[in-house]
Amino acid sequence: MADTAPFDAGPNGDYTIDQNWSAYTAEEHAVWDLLYERQMEVLPGRAADEFLEGLTLLNLAKGGIPNFETMSDELEALTGWRVVAVPGLVPDAVFFEHLANRRFPAGQFIRKRSELDYLQEPDVFHDVFGHVPMLANPVFADYMQAYGKGGMRSLEWDALKNLAALYWYTVEFGLIQTDKGMRIYGAGIVSSKSESIFALEDRSPNRIGFDLERVMVTDYRIDDFQQTYFAVESYKQLFDATVETDFAPLYDKMQGAYRFKPEDVTPTDRLIDKGTQDYADAGGRNA
Ligand code: HBI
Ligand code: FE
């Protein structure tokens, strides 16, 4: 969550900046290609078909950092979304307003070769490789817009924490149960080589069927692999849960607070895998 951003609203008044594509260096394009190549070693058979189809439809293959203008022209023809450049995290209200208008704000910068695996701020690889392919899917594209509209309303209810958890456990770290088995679609997973494997194959995390209210009152980790992943059965399930639910009584009940810790399993959960939590108990990435 970004209540205050280290940037000002800029000349456009909405935190967007020029991508300035021609200014990327050969090294920056090479870092994209390297990240792309590493992900493609693990994603076939693990990533959702819709994600892999989006990559193909938008030509996000190797060949350097995509140009947002040409990519947006292709994406707009598919689902009406465009990608706009931002310097980094933008304030929540600004972020939601972009989504509500089918604009995805993507970080303009790319990580350095020395920090391939782990970074705090969303860069162009996380935002474009991780998020944009799913925006080529019509149902998911509608879910993202509905989320943006819901986000704008949540600010009036002081319910941002609850809505942020929904984003985290779906858009960023979501799993989907398919006929072919469990797959990853969350941008935080599909843009990370180690988490792509951990989220599906490690015995440490819980895997639980998605339930809107359960997810919205569950705290999450921003510094390491998730201790619980939630799996949807379809993207329609997500869209329906978001647009057909009256959030006002939910927000009254939730009080902008979390009731469950990241590792909790509750009696009413549709439990798919009960995790051992070995990884987290051993100290996670700092072990
Ligand atoms: N800004 N650039 C950027 N990317 C985000 O994912 C983002 C943000 N600002 C706020 C924000 N996310 C949160 O409001 C949501 O994750 C809930
Ligand atoms: Fe993200």
Side-chain angles (χ1 to χ4, degrees), residues 28-58:
E28 288 174 321
H29 287 301
V31 169
W32 172 284
D33 286 350
L34 179 58
L35 286 163
Y36 179 88
E37 210 170 85
R38 280 163 35 107
Q39 285 316 104
M40 294 320 284
E41 286 167 19
V42 294
L43 292 183
R46 291 195 179 90
D49 286 345
E50 293 78 6
F51 175 84
L52 296 170
E53 279 159 19
L55 275 183
T56 308
L57 282 168
L58 297 168

PDB file of all heavy atoms in Angstrom, residues 28-58:
ATOM      1  N   GLU A  28      20.049  -2.869 -20.171  1.00  0.00           N
ATOM      2  CA  GLU A  28      18.689  -2.977 -19.623  1.00  0.00           C
ATOM      3  C   GLU A  28      17.840  -3.952 -20.457  1.00  0.00           C
ATOM      4  O   GLU A  28      17.116  -4.772 -19.907  1.00  0.00           O
ATOM      5  CB  GLU A  28      18.043  -1.591 -19.537  1.00  0.00           C
ATOM      6  CG  GLU A  28      18.665  -0.754 -18.417  1.00  0.00           C
ATOM      7  CD  GLU A  28      18.171   0.683 -18.385  1.00  0.00           C
ATOM      8  OE1 GLU A  28      17.981   1.299 -19.455  1.00  0.00           O
ATOM      9  OE2 GLU A  28      17.973   1.195 -17.273  1.00  0.00           O
ATOM     10  N   HIS A  29      17.953  -3.873 -21.761  1.00  0.00           N
ATOM     11  CA  HIS A  29      17.231  -4.831 -22.613  1.00  0.00           C
ATOM     12  C   HIS A  29      17.737  -6.257 -22.364  1.00  0.00           C
ATOM     13  O   HIS A  29      16.961  -7.214 -22.366  1.00  0.00           O
ATOM     14  CB  HIS A  29      17.384  -4.470 -24.095  1.00  0.00           C
ATOM     15  CG  HIS A  29      16.583  -3.264 -24.506  1.00  0.00           C
ATOM     16  ND1 HIS A  29      15.208  -3.204 -24.380  1.00  0.00           N
ATOM     17  CD2 HIS A  29      16.952  -2.068 -25.027  1.00  0.00           C
ATOM     18  CE1 HIS A  29      14.772  -2.030 -24.819  1.00  0.00           C
ATOM     19  NE2 HIS A  29      15.814  -1.319 -25.210  1.00  0.00           N
ATOM     20  N   ALA A  30      19.044  -6.378 -22.128  1.00  0.00           N
ATOM     21  CA  ALA A  30      19.627  -7.707 -21.890  1.00  0.00           C
ATOM     22  C   ALA A  30      19.122  -8.288 -20.568  1.00  0.00           C
ATOM     23  O   ALA A  30      18.922  -9.509 -20.454  1.00  0.00           O
ATOM     24  CB  ALA A  30      21.154  -7.618 -21.892  1.00  0.00           C
ATOM     25  N   VAL A  31      18.892  -7.441 -19.562  1.00  0.00           N
ATOM     26  CA  VAL A  31      18.351  -7.925 -18.286  1.00  0.00           C
ATOM     27  C   VAL A  31      16.930  -8.459 -18.495  1.00  0.00           C
ATOM     28  O   VAL A  31      16.564  -9.513 -17.987  1.00  0.00           O
ATOM     29  CB  VAL A  31      18.396  -6.820 -17.197  1.00  0.00           C
ATOM     30  CG1 VAL A  31      17.598  -7.233 -15.963  1.00  0.00           C
ATOM     31  CG2 VAL A  31      19.838  -6.508 -16.803  1.00  0.00           C
ATOM     32  N   TRP A  32      16.128  -7.759 -19.308  1.00  0.00           N
ATOM     33  CA  TRP A  32      14.780  -8.265 -19.634  1.00  0.00           C
ATOM     34  C   TRP A  32      14.882  -9.658 -20.270  1.00  0.00           C
ATOM     35  O   TRP A  32      14.213 -10.598 -19.875  1.00  0.00           O
ATOM     36  CB  TRP A  32      14.036  -7.302 -20.572  1.00  0.00           C
ATOM     37  CG  TRP A  32      12.747  -7.886 -21.079  1.00  0.00           C
ATOM     38  CD1 TRP A  32      12.609  -8.845 -22.047  1.00  0.00           C
ATOM     39  CD2 TRP A  32      11.421  -7.604 -20.606  1.00  0.00           C
ATOM     40  NE1 TRP A  32      11.280  -9.169 -22.212  1.00  0.00           N
ATOM     41  CE2 TRP A  32      10.537  -8.424 -21.340  1.00  0.00           C
ATOM     42  CE3 TRP A  32      10.904  -6.733 -19.639  1.00  0.00           C
ATOM     43  CZ2 TRP A  32       9.155  -8.403 -21.136  1.00  0.00           C
ATOM     44  CZ3 TRP A  32       9.523  -6.706 -19.437  1.00  0.00           C
ATOM     45  CH2 TRP A  32       8.666  -7.536 -20.180  1.00  0.00           C
ATOM     46  N   ASP A  33      15.760  -9.767 -21.274  1.00  0.00           N
ATOM     47  CA  ASP A  33      15.887 -11.042 -21.994  1.00  0.00           C
ATOM     48  C   ASP A  33      16.313 -12.174 -21.058  1.00  0.00           C
ATOM     49  O   ASP A  33      15.829 -13.302 -21.172  1.00  0.00           O
ATOM     50  CB  ASP A  33      16.900 -10.909 -23.141  1.00  0.00           C
ATOM     51  CG  ASP A  33      16.336 -10.117 -24.320  1.00  0.00           C
ATOM     52  OD1 ASP A  33      15.120  -9.845 -24.339  1.00  0.00           O
ATOM     53  OD2 ASP A  33      17.125  -9.772 -25.223  1.00  0.00           O
ATOM     54  N   LEU A  34      17.214 -11.844 -20.147  1.00  0.00           N
ATOM     55  CA  LEU A  34      17.690 -12.850 -19.190  1.00  0.00           C
ATOM     56  C   LEU A  34      16.553 -13.284 -18.267  1.00  0.00           C
ATOM     57  O   LEU A  34      16.340 -14.480 -18.027  1.00  0.00           O
ATOM     58  CB  LEU A  34      18.852 -12.243 -18.387  1.00  0.00           C
ATOM     59  CG  LEU A  34      19.483 -13.116 -17.311  1.00  0.00           C
ATOM     60  CD1 LEU A  34      20.017 -14.410 -17.914  1.00  0.00           C
ATOM     61  CD2 LEU A  34      20.620 -12.342 -16.622  1.00  0.00           C
ATOM     62  N   LEU A  35      15.802 -12.310 -17.745  1.00  0.00           N
ATOM     63  CA  LEU A  35      14.669 -12.629 -16.865  1.00  0.00           C
ATOM     64  C   LEU A  35      13.626 -13.450 -17.619  1.00  0.00           C
ATOM     65  O   LEU A  35      13.078 -14.417 -17.093  1.00  0.00           O
ATOM     66  CB  LEU A  35      14.033 -11.329 -16.334  1.00  0.00           C
ATOM     67  CG  LEU A  35      14.841 -10.595 -15.253  1.00  0.00           C
ATOM     68  CD1 LEU A  35      14.349  -9.151 -15.114  1.00  0.00           C
ATOM     69  CD2 LEU A  35      14.737 -11.317 -13.918  1.00  0.00           C
ATOM     70  N   TYR A  36      13.380 -13.054 -18.869  1.00  0.00           N
ATOM     71  CA  TYR A  36      12.400 -13.768 -19.695  1.00  0.00           C
ATOM     72  C   TYR A  36      12.817 -15.234 -19.878  1.00  0.00           C
ATOM     73  O   TYR A  36      12.031 -16.157 -19.686  1.00  0.00           O
ATOM     74  CB  TYR A  36      12.273 -13.075 -21.060  1.00  0.00           C
ATOM     75  CG  TYR A  36      11.294 -13.776 -21.957  1.00  0.00           C
ATOM     76  CD1 TYR A  36       9.946 -13.451 -21.931  1.00  0.00           C
ATOM     77  CD2 TYR A  36      11.711 -14.802 -22.806  1.00  0.00           C
ATOM     78  CE1 TYR A  36       9.036 -14.128 -22.725  1.00  0.00           C
ATOM     79  CE2 TYR A  36      10.810 -15.482 -23.597  1.00  0.00           C
ATOM     80  CZ  TYR A  36       9.483 -15.140 -23.556  1.00  0.00           C
ATOM     81  OH  TYR A  36       8.589 -15.822 -24.331  1.00  0.00           O
ATOM     82  N   GLU A  37      14.084 -15.412 -20.217  1.00  0.00           N
ATOM     83  CA  GLU A  37      14.612 -16.756 -20.463  1.00  0.00           C
ATOM     84  C   GLU A  37      14.510 -17.626 -19.207  1.00  0.00           C
ATOM     85  O   GLU A  37      14.110 -18.791 -19.271  1.00  0.00           O
ATOM     86  CB  GLU A  37      16.083 -16.592 -20.831  1.00  0.00           C
ATOM     87  CG  GLU A  37      16.665 -17.610 -21.750  1.00  0.00           C
ATOM     88  CD  GLU A  37      18.046 -17.129 -22.191  1.00  0.00           C
ATOM     89  OE1 GLU A  37      19.012 -17.388 -21.436  1.00  0.00           O
ATOM     90  OE2 GLU A  37      18.150 -16.477 -23.248  1.00  0.00           O
ATOM     91  N   ARG A  38      14.850 -17.060 -18.055  1.00  0.00           N
ATOM     92  CA  ARG A  38      14.764 -17.814 -16.779  1.00  0.00           C
ATOM     93  C   ARG A  38      13.329 -18.227 -16.490  1.00  0.00           C
ATOM     94  O   ARG A  38      13.081 -19.323 -16.006  1.00  0.00           O
ATOM     95  CB  ARG A  38      15.272 -16.946 -15.623  1.00  0.00           C
ATOM     96  CG  ARG A  38      16.789 -16.888 -15.501  1.00  0.00           C
ATOM     97  CD  ARG A  38      17.251 -15.708 -14.634  1.00  0.00           C
ATOM     98  NE  ARG A  38      16.359 -15.418 -13.527  1.00  0.00           N
ATOM     99  CZ  ARG A  38      16.624 -15.683 -12.244  1.00  0.00           C
ATOM    100  NH1 ARG A  38      17.767 -16.225 -11.899  1.00  0.00           N
ATOM    101  NH2 ARG A  38      15.754 -15.371 -11.316  1.00  0.00           N
ATOM    102  N   GLN A  39      12.378 -17.330 -16.735  1.00  0.00           N
ATOM    103  CA  GLN A  39      10.979 -17.683 -16.448  1.00  0.00           C
ATOM    104  C   GLN A  39      10.478 -18.761 -17.394  1.00  0.00           C
ATOM    105  O   GLN A  39       9.732 -19.650 -16.988  1.00  0.00           O
ATOM    106  CB  GLN A  39      10.078 -16.441 -16.535  1.00  0.00           C
ATOM    107  CG  GLN A  39      10.218 -15.494 -15.349  1.00  0.00           C
ATOM    108  CD  GLN A  39      10.258 -16.203 -14.011  1.00  0.00           C
ATOM    109  OE1 GLN A  39      11.319 -16.343 -13.406  1.00  0.00           O
ATOM    110  NE2 GLN A  39       9.122 -16.684 -13.545  1.00  0.00           N
ATOM    111  N   MET A  40      10.898 -18.692 -18.664  1.00  0.00           N
ATOM    112  CA  MET A  40      10.384 -19.674 -19.616  1.00  0.00           C
ATOM    113  C   MET A  40      10.937 -21.077 -19.358  1.00  0.00           C
ATOM    114  O   MET A  40      10.406 -22.059 -19.859  1.00  0.00           O
ATOM    115  CB  MET A  40      10.630 -19.220 -21.064  1.00  0.00           C
ATOM    116  CG  MET A  40       9.838 -17.972 -21.454  1.00  0.00           C
ATOM    117  SD  MET A  40       8.123 -17.888 -20.831  1.00  0.00           S
ATOM    118  CE  MET A  40       7.306 -19.036 -21.931  1.00  0.00           C
ATOM    119  N   GLU A  41      11.979 -21.163 -18.540  1.00  0.00           N
ATOM    120  CA  GLU A  41      12.460 -22.491 -18.125  1.00  0.00           C
ATOM    121  C   GLU A  41      11.484 -23.144 -17.144  1.00  0.00           C
ATOM    122  O   GLU A  41      11.470 -24.362 -17.012  1.00  0.00           O
ATOM    123  CB  GLU A  41      13.838 -22.370 -17.447  1.00  0.00           C
ATOM    124  CG  GLU A  41      14.968 -22.101 -18.416  1.00  0.00           C
ATOM    125  CD  GLU A  41      16.248 -21.672 -17.695  1.00  0.00           C
ATOM    126  OE1 GLU A  41      16.377 -21.923 -16.476  1.00  0.00           O
ATOM    127  OE2 GLU A  41      17.100 -21.054 -18.356  1.00  0.00           O
ATOM    128  N   VAL A  42      10.719 -22.347 -16.427  1.00  0.00           N
ATOM    129  CA  VAL A  42       9.843 -22.931 -15.393  1.00  0.00           C
ATOM    130  C   VAL A  42       8.344 -22.799 -15.677  1.00  0.00           C
ATOM    131  O   VAL A  42       7.548 -23.520 -15.083  1.00  0.00           O
ATOM    132  CB  VAL A  42      10.148 -22.324 -13.990  1.00  0.00           C
ATOM    133  CG1 VAL A  42      11.549 -22.717 -13.541  1.00  0.00           C
ATOM    134  CG2 VAL A  42       9.961 -20.815 -13.964  1.00  0.00           C
ATOM    135  N   LEU A  43       7.935 -21.894 -16.557  1.00  0.00           N
ATOM    136  CA  LEU A  43       6.493 -21.623 -16.686  1.00  0.00           C
ATOM    137  C   LEU A  43       5.678 -22.650 -17.483  1.00  0.00           C
ATOM    138  O   LEU A  43       4.539 -22.919 -17.107  1.00  0.00           O
ATOM    139  CB  LEU A  43       6.265 -20.207 -17.243  1.00  0.00           C
ATOM    140  CG  LEU A  43       6.670 -19.080 -16.268  1.00  0.00           C
ATOM    141  CD1 LEU A  43       6.352 -17.718 -16.870  1.00  0.00           C
ATOM    142  CD2 LEU A  43       5.996 -19.231 -14.914  1.00  0.00           C
ATOM    143  N   PRO A  44       6.211 -23.236 -18.572  1.00  0.00           N
ATOM    144  CA  PRO A  44       5.383 -24.232 -19.263  1.00  0.00           C
ATOM    145  C   PRO A  44       5.020 -25.380 -18.304  1.00  0.00           C
ATOM    146  O   PRO A  44       5.885 -25.912 -17.615  1.00  0.00           O
ATOM    147  CB  PRO A  44       6.292 -24.712 -20.412  1.00  0.00           C
ATOM    148  CG  PRO A  44       7.215 -23.553 -20.658  1.00  0.00           C
ATOM    149  CD  PRO A  44       7.482 -22.990 -19.286  1.00  0.00           C
ATOM    150  N   GLY A  45       3.729 -25.697 -18.241  1.00  0.00           N
ATOM    151  CA  GLY A  45       3.283 -26.736 -17.315  1.00  0.00           C
ATOM    152  C   GLY A  45       3.010 -26.225 -15.914  1.00  0.00           C
ATOM    153  O   GLY A  45       2.464 -26.938 -15.080  1.00  0.00           O
ATOM    154  N   ARG A  46       3.412 -25.003 -15.608  1.00  0.00           N
ATOM    155  CA  ARG A  46       3.124 -24.414 -14.293  1.00  0.00           C
ATOM    156  C   ARG A  46       2.204 -23.192 -14.398  1.00  0.00           C
ATOM    157  O   ARG A  46       1.329 -23.005 -13.560  1.00  0.00           O
ATOM    158  CB  ARG A  46       4.417 -24.001 -13.574  1.00  0.00           C
ATOM    159  CG  ARG A  46       5.278 -25.160 -13.119  1.00  0.00           C
ATOM    160  CD  ARG A  46       6.327 -24.697 -12.105  1.00  0.00           C
ATOM    161  NE  ARG A  46       7.147 -25.814 -11.634  1.00  0.00           N
ATOM    162  CZ  ARG A  46       8.279 -26.214 -12.199  1.00  0.00           C
ATOM    163  NH1 ARG A  46       8.747 -25.587 -13.261  1.00  0.00           N
ATOM    164  NH2 ARG A  46       8.956 -27.237 -11.711  1.00  0.00           N
ATOM    165  N   ALA A  47       2.434 -22.348 -15.406  1.00  0.00           N
ATOM    166  CA  ALA A  47       1.605 -21.152 -15.557  1.00  0.00           C
ATOM    167  C   ALA A  47       0.278 -21.514 -16.213  1.00  0.00           C
ATOM    168  O   ALA A  47       0.206 -22.441 -17.038  1.00  0.00           O
ATOM    169  CB  ALA A  47       2.330 -20.101 -16.390  1.00  0.00           C
ATOM    170  N   ALA A  48      -0.763 -20.772 -15.856  1.00  0.00           N
ATOM    171  CA  ALA A  48      -2.087 -20.965 -16.447  1.00  0.00           C
ATOM    172  C   ALA A  48      -2.013 -20.746 -17.962  1.00  0.00           C
ATOM    173  O   ALA A  48      -1.260 -19.892 -18.439  1.00  0.00           O
ATOM    174  CB  ALA A  48      -3.072 -19.975 -15.828  1.00  0.00           C
ATOM    175  N   ASP A  49      -2.818 -21.495 -18.715  1.00  0.00           N
ATOM    176  CA  ASP A  49      -2.869 -21.336 -20.175  1.00  0.00           C
ATOM    177  C   ASP A  49      -3.146 -19.890 -20.566  1.00  0.00           C
ATOM    178  O   ASP A  49      -2.570 -19.377 -21.528  1.00  0.00           O
ATOM    179  CB  ASP A  49      -3.980 -22.216 -20.770  1.00  0.00           C
ATOM    180  CG  ASP A  49      -3.605 -23.683 -20.768  1.00  0.00           C
ATOM    181  OD1 ASP A  49      -2.407 -23.998 -20.574  1.00  0.00           O
ATOM    182  OD2 ASP A  49      -4.515 -24.522 -20.952  1.00  0.00           O
ATOM    183  N   GLU A  50      -4.044 -19.235 -19.815  1.00  0.00           N
ATOM    184  CA  GLU A  50      -4.428 -17.858 -20.149  1.00  0.00           C
ATOM    185  C   GLU A  50      -3.220 -16.916 -20.064  1.00  0.00           C
ATOM    186  O   GLU A  50      -3.097 -15.971 -20.840  1.00  0.00           O
ATOM    187  CB  GLU A  50      -5.534 -17.355 -19.216  1.00  0.00           C
ATOM    188  CG  GLU A  50      -6.863 -18.072 -19.390  1.00  0.00           C
ATOM    189  CD  GLU A  50      -6.914 -19.447 -18.738  1.00  0.00           C
ATOM    190  OE1 GLU A  50      -5.947 -19.830 -18.028  1.00  0.00           O
ATOM    191  OE2 GLU A  50      -7.927 -20.150 -18.941  1.00  0.00           O
ATOM    192  N   PHE A  51      -2.343 -17.168 -19.085  1.00  0.00           N
ATOM    193  CA  PHE A  51      -1.134 -16.345 -18.968  1.00  0.00           C
ATOM    194  C   PHE A  51      -0.217 -16.574 -20.171  1.00  0.00           C
ATOM    195  O   PHE A  51       0.245 -15.624 -20.808  1.00  0.00           O
ATOM    196  CB  PHE A  51      -0.391 -16.657 -17.659  1.00  0.00           C
ATOM    197  CG  PHE A  51       0.918 -15.923 -17.549  1.00  0.00           C
ATOM    198  CD1 PHE A  51       0.963 -14.617 -17.078  1.00  0.00           C
ATOM    199  CD2 PHE A  51       2.107 -16.515 -17.971  1.00  0.00           C
ATOM    200  CE1 PHE A  51       2.170 -13.918 -17.017  1.00  0.00           C
ATOM    201  CE2 PHE A  51       3.310 -15.825 -17.920  1.00  0.00           C
ATOM    202  CZ  PHE A  51       3.343 -14.526 -17.439  1.00  0.00           C
ATOM    203  N   LEU A  52       0.034 -17.844 -20.501  1.00  0.00           N
ATOM    204  CA  LEU A  52       0.941 -18.163 -21.612  1.00  0.00           C
ATOM    205  C   LEU A  52       0.372 -17.669 -22.949  1.00  0.00           C
ATOM    206  O   LEU A  52       1.116 -17.188 -23.802  1.00  0.00           O
ATOM    207  CB  LEU A  52       1.220 -19.671 -21.645  1.00  0.00           C
ATOM    208  CG  LEU A  52       1.960 -20.197 -20.398  1.00  0.00           C
ATOM    209  CD1 LEU A  52       1.982 -21.727 -20.374  1.00  0.00           C
ATOM    210  CD2 LEU A  52       3.393 -19.651 -20.321  1.00  0.00           C
ATOM    211  N   GLU A  53      -0.968 -17.773 -23.079  1.00  0.00           N
ATOM    212  CA  GLU A  53      -1.602 -17.253 -24.306  1.00  0.00           C
ATOM    213  C   GLU A  53      -1.420 -15.740 -24.415  1.00  0.00           C
ATOM    214  O   GLU A  53      -1.174 -15.208 -25.492  1.00  0.00           O
ATOM    215  CB  GLU A  53      -3.108 -17.566 -24.296  1.00  0.00           C
ATOM    216  CG  GLU A  53      -3.429 -18.976 -24.742  1.00  0.00           C
ATOM    217  CD  GLU A  53      -4.804 -19.451 -24.265  1.00  0.00           C
ATOM    218  OE1 GLU A  53      -5.662 -18.605 -23.908  1.00  0.00           O
ATOM    219  OE2 GLU A  53      -5.011 -20.680 -24.239  1.00  0.00           O
ATOM    220  N   GLY A  54      -1.545 -15.043 -23.269  1.00  0.00           N
ATOM    221  CA  GLY A  54      -1.367 -13.586 -23.252  1.00  0.00           C
ATOM    222  C   GLY A  54       0.034 -13.190 -23.682  1.00  0.00           C
ATOM    223  O   GLY A  54       0.222 -12.246 -24.450  1.00  0.00           O
ATOM    224  N   LEU A  55       1.023 -13.943 -23.208  1.00  0.00           N
ATOM    225  CA  LEU A  55       2.417 -13.680 -23.602  1.00  0.00           C
ATOM    226  C   LEU A  55       2.565 -13.760 -25.118  1.00  0.00           C
ATOM    227  O   LEU A  55       3.212 -12.917 -25.738  1.00  0.00           O
ATOM    228  CB  LEU A  55       3.350 -14.724 -22.989  1.00  0.00           C
ATOM    229  CG  LEU A  55       3.899 -14.552 -21.581  1.00  0.00           C
ATOM    230  CD1 LEU A  55       4.852 -15.706 -21.286  1.00  0.00           C
ATOM    231  CD2 LEU A  55       4.612 -13.220 -21.404  1.00  0.00           C
ATOM    232  N   THR A  56       1.961 -14.795 -25.703  1.00  0.00           N
ATOM    233  CA  THR A  56       2.057 -14.994 -27.149  1.00  0.00           C
ATOM    234  C   THR A  56       1.291 -13.928 -27.912  1.00  0.00           C
ATOM    235  O   THR A  56       1.819 -13.324 -28.854  1.00  0.00           O
ATOM    236  CB  THR A  56       1.501 -16.393 -27.521  1.00  0.00           C
ATOM    237  OG1 THR A  56       2.155 -17.356 -26.691  1.00  0.00           O
ATOM    238  CG2 THR A  56       1.741 -16.715 -28.967  1.00  0.00           C
ATOM    239  N   LEU A  57       0.049 -13.686 -27.476  1.00  0.00           N
ATOM    240  CA  LEU A  57      -0.794 -12.699 -28.173  1.00  0.00           C
ATOM    241  C   LEU A  57      -0.132 -11.329 -28.224  1.00  0.00           C
ATOM    242  O   LEU A  57      -0.265 -10.594 -29.201  1.00  0.00           O
ATOM    243  CB  LEU A  57      -2.142 -12.556 -27.455  1.00  0.00           C
ATOM    244  CG  LEU A  57      -3.178 -13.650 -27.702  1.00  0.00           C
ATOM    245  CD1 LEU A  57      -4.330 -13.521 -26.713  1.00  0.00           C
ATOM    246  CD2 LEU A  57      -3.697 -13.545 -29.142  1.00  0.00           C
ATOM    247  N   LEU A  58       0.578 -10.964 -27.141  1.00  0.00           N
ATOM    248  CA  LEU A  58       1.159  -9.625 -27.057  1.00  0.00           C
ATOM    249  C   LEU A  58       2.627  -9.598 -27.469  1.00  0.00           C
ATOM    250  O   LEU A  58       3.299  -8.575 -27.325  1.00  0.00           O
ATOM    251  CB  LEU A  58       0.998  -9.079 -25.632  1.00  0.00           C
ATOM    252  CG  LEU A  58      -0.456  -8.889 -25.194  1.00  0.00           C
ATOM    253  CD1 LEU A  58      -0.555  -8.625 -23.706  1.00  0.00           C
ATOM    254  CD2 LEU A  58      -1.105  -7.748 -25.985  1.00  0.00           C
TER     255      LEU A  58
END
